[in-house]
Amino acid sequence: RLTGAVRARLGALYGGAGVPPDRLFFAGGGGSVRGYEFQSLSPRGPDGALTGGRSLIETSAELRWRSGERLGYVAFLDAG
């Protein structure tokens, strides 16, 4: 009836400064840091635009409890 789950994701880019934007890290969204829009967590440039990061750390922990055949509860904590 009670299930626990943890998840972690780590990433880093090393090398030259010319990394294409589609290879940089963005966080946020259901598979990352819930409660934020998809890929909305990132360093920002001088103009306020998301630039993407060269490293990423995400963690998540949750407890799921099924109280009956059709009803269950979930408590979670995400960080990124």
Side-chain angles (χ1 to χ4, degrees):
R1 286 178 150 322
L2 185 63
T3 303
V6 294
R7 177 188 67 80
R9 188 167 98 163
L10 305 170
L13 294 171
Y14 296 98
V19 178
D22 64 333
R23 298 287 184 203
L24 296 173
F25 293 106
F26 294 84
S32 173
V33 182
R34 293 171 276 197
Y36 289 88
E37 291 184 32
F38 179 69
Q39 295 188 344
S40 65
L41 298 176
S42 162
R44 295 183 181 268
D47 61 353
L50 301 175
T51 60
R54 297 181 60 84
S55 60
L56 173 77
I57 299 174
E58 295 174 354
T59 61
S60 178
E62 67 182 52
L63 284 174
R64 301 177 202 134
W65 178 60
R66 180 156 303 279
S67 65
E69 195 62 33
R70 298 178 56 171
L71 187 60
Y73 303 92
V74 177
F76 66 87
L77 178 65
D78 294 339

